[in-house]
Structure formats: structure tokens, C-alpha cells
Amino acid sequence: MPPGRAALYMVASTLLAMTQGFGMNFVAANLPQLQGPLGATSTEAVWLVAAYMAPNASLSIALVKIRNQYGLRNFAELGIAVFLVVSVMHIFITDLHSAIVLRFFAGMAAAPLSTLGFLYMLEAFSPARKLTIGISLALTNIALAAPLTRIVSPFLIDIGGVRALLYLELSLAMLAFAAIYLLPLTPLPRAKVIEKLDIVSYLFIAIGFGSAAVIFAVGRTYWWLEAEWIGVLAVVMIAALTIAAVLELNRATPLIDLRWLFSREVMHFAAVLILFRLMLAEQTAVASNFFQIMGLQNDQLTGLYSCVALATLASGLVCAAILKPSREPAIHMVALMLIGVGAWLDSHATNLTRPHDMYLSQAMIAAGGGLFLPPAIAAGFTMALRKGPQYILSFIVVFLATQSLGGLAGSAIFGSFITLREKFHSNILAQAMTLTDPLVAARIAQLSAAYGRTITDQAMLKAEGVALLSQQVTREANVLAHNDAFFVIALLAVAAAIALAIHRIYVRIKEAGAVSGAAAAKA
């Protein structure tokens, strides 16, 4: 492909990734701003995220076979057309219920865009560079969508409110629609690959993955053991996935090869990806929640997210330049150390910590994320191709389950951890707050003095001071809880780095033994 045309395909890939990423992130990044126009509480607004992720978590599994049977161009044109229609319908949202329904269909319509973003980037490169430069740039585009959404959202809301976000999503969808028609992908040979049992298996997989996505998205808000329907949904998830597994294990040509998925090599690969997603929750969930607790809004965090975006872009370009087979362990070691050091720096936060204090640490974590995923995906894709083209779909299942569901699980796990640790620290701090302590009494008097001119009743004035002190105790407990989460993530990164080093030493010893054995046999 000529360089000029290759550049156009790379731009189209970036456009598709931004279209999909902005549509996915603009709700999660602006939940407080959406509550007013939709007349929703903070608890109800979380369902917008759950509705989007429920179909999105599994639909790419079905799209692989649909693309192979009905043609790549038909798949691309229909996918972007459906997304465009859903984007237009978003403009007419007036209440929460219609918004939840549209977010569900938006999650379905956006599933082809992530695939197309990958394919357009890979189209621009020769086969030898698809799994190095191509995959690095494609994943960089996907990672850039989240920080860019938080950077542009405050400016758009200032200009035209929440509807300005919808207009941007619609504009991107129109541009992507034009790009797909002007820049067709290389057609692939069609084959009749969809069987009747594929549809049945996929329906159970979709129910299982969708139930898991809903549980992870809203479980922390309603709390895991308080809402009875969460337990019912968990039973539905387990039953659906069990039925799908039974169907797939008894088919001659399964939709997903479960025996290969549960092999030692693939389980190790899946564990690496899950651990990565858990560590990246430091940036996507813990750090953002910390500043929200401190009372900061998105417009005060644009500098921080600009650093994150620049670090993500730089690390993606570096990874594209250095990624080659056999370099994956070294790149992963650097990524883990960056994430570990960044999380450890964040674990020293106080109530005076502001975004500029985390520029370095968050840039390190973003760079670690940009370096970690491309080598892992390239190695997994190569592992699947080694077994045969039919194993690519099984690999996609591993990737989707660890990234989409893993991202939700990471946010849910660390969000719940912060809640529990906040209660723990609140109890410890409250036990030390006694009115007989002169320091506590002085603090209450200092806090209540601001209301001395408006409240003349001394008992009410003292009660107001106690309430203000209680708020400060809760704030400090939240800071300590977030520091605990940062520190746990740092420990995870260090433990993963140690495990990687031990694994590499074991592999080297094994290879050396095999070489010496072969030499002895030859002698």
C-alpha cells in the first residue's frame, strides 16, 4: 500500500477508535452531569453503564463468524450504519428509561467499531508488521479514548450542556460512516461458518456475560449482599455459562474450543491479562474516584488527563518501535515497574493532594499500560495462529472476557475495597475523637466559630461543630482507604514482576538443559 493511502487507513482507524471509545466513556466520565437532565439519582445513573456493557461484553464473539460468512464490507457498512442511527436517536433522549434502552442498543452498535478500528490499522501495514507496529498503534488508539473523553467533556458541557456530548458522538459517527465507504477493507473469502447450534451457544454466552457485566457495574452501588436480585442474577450467569460449556464440549465444531481455553498455556495468558486489568484500575477507578471524593470536577482534571494521554501516546509509539518476538518479557518487566512505582507514589496522598501532584505517577501508570498490552496480545494472537485459524475466535473470547469484564471487575473490586477500608479507618479515627480531649474540643470550637454569628444556641452551635468534624474524619478515612488501594496495586505490580523474573529464569534453565541434552545425544 502506498504511504499516503496507508496514512489514510491509519487516520480511519483512529477515527473509528475515538468514535467507539467516546461513545463508551462519555457516560462513565460524566455521570454527575447526566443526572440532572435525565432526572436520575446517582444510583439510577449507574444503570447507563450497565446497559451499555451488557451486550457489548459478548457481541464481538458473534461478529467474528458473521463477518466471515457475510463479507467484511457488508459487516463494516451495516455496523457503522446501525451505530449512526443509534447516535441520532440519542439526541431525543428526555428521561432515564429511554436513555437506558438506547445505551443498550448503543452497546450493541459499538461492538463492530472496536473490531473495525483494529482491522483498519492492520490494513495499513505489511503482514510482518501487523503484530508489532499495527497492533501497538491500534491498542494505543483504544487506550487514548478514555483520557481524551475526560479532556473534551468539560469544554463541550460548557458550550452546550450534555447535548453537546451527543452532538460530538453523532459527528464522529458521520465521519466514520464516510471513512468506511471511502476506504474499503481488503475483502476476505466468504465461507458458510455459522451453524444452528452456534446461535444457541451464543445466546447462553451473551446471557452469562451480560449478567456478569451488570453485576460488576452496579453491584458496588447496591452492595453485593444487600440486594437479593444480585444473587439471582449471579445464579442466571452461572447457569447460562454452564449450559453454554456443556453444549460446546459436546460439539464436533464448537463455537469456542473450551478444552484449548482451559489449557495451561491459555490460562496463564488469561491470568496475565486479568492481573493487568486489575492494576490499571488504579487509574481508571481509584485515582479518578479519589479526586471526586476530594470535590474536584472534570474541568479541574484536564491537566492530569492531558499528561495521561501524552504518556499513553508516547508509550504506544515506543512499543511500536521496539516490539519484536522474544522481547515481550523485557517490555512487560518495564511496564510492571512503571505501574508499581506510580501506584506507590500515589499511596502517599493526603487531603491536600491535587491533580498536579499526580502528574508524574499517573503518567508512569499510563506508560506502563501502553507498554504492557500490545506484547501480550501479539503473543496470544501468535499462540492462537499456531494452533490454526479456527482458534482465533477462542482467543478473542479470552481477550474480551479479560478486558471488558476484567475492567468492570477491577473497578468493582477496588471500589468495594475502598468502601470497606473507609469504614475501618472511620471507626479507628472516631474512637480517638472524645469530647474530653482538649485538642478535639478546640477543633470543634474552631469549626463552629464560623456559625457563631448566625447560631446563638450554644448546644446547636456545638452540634454543628461536631458534624463538621465528622465530615473531616470521613474525608481523612477516604484518603487513607484510597492510599491502601494504591499500595495494594503497587504490591500486585511488584509481585507480578517477581513472578515474571522467576518464570524467565525457569525458562532459561529449561532451554539450557534442552540444549545440553541435545548436544550430549549428538555426541
Side-chain angles (χ1 to χ4, degrees), residues 410-454:
S411 299
I413 290 170
F414 282 105
S416 301
F417 176 80
I418 289 169
T419 300
L420 295 173
R421 293 298 294 177
E422 186 273 327
K423 300 304 178 187
F424 170 79
H425 288 298
S426 289
N427 289 334
I428 298 297
L429 293 174
Q431 288 175 8
M433 299 293 171
T434 58
L435 295 178
T436 56
D437 188 333
L439 292 176
V440 175
R443 186 65 171 171
I444 291 174
Q446 180 185 15
L447 293 171
S448 61
Y451 297 92
R453 294 184 178 182
T454 55

Side-chain angles (χ1 to χ4, degrees), residues 253-265:
T253 55
L255 177 67
I256 302 167
D257 193 331
L258 292 176
R259 291 181 177 85
W260 180 69
L261 283 185
F262 287 103
S263 64
R264 185 173 64 88
E265 190 178 24

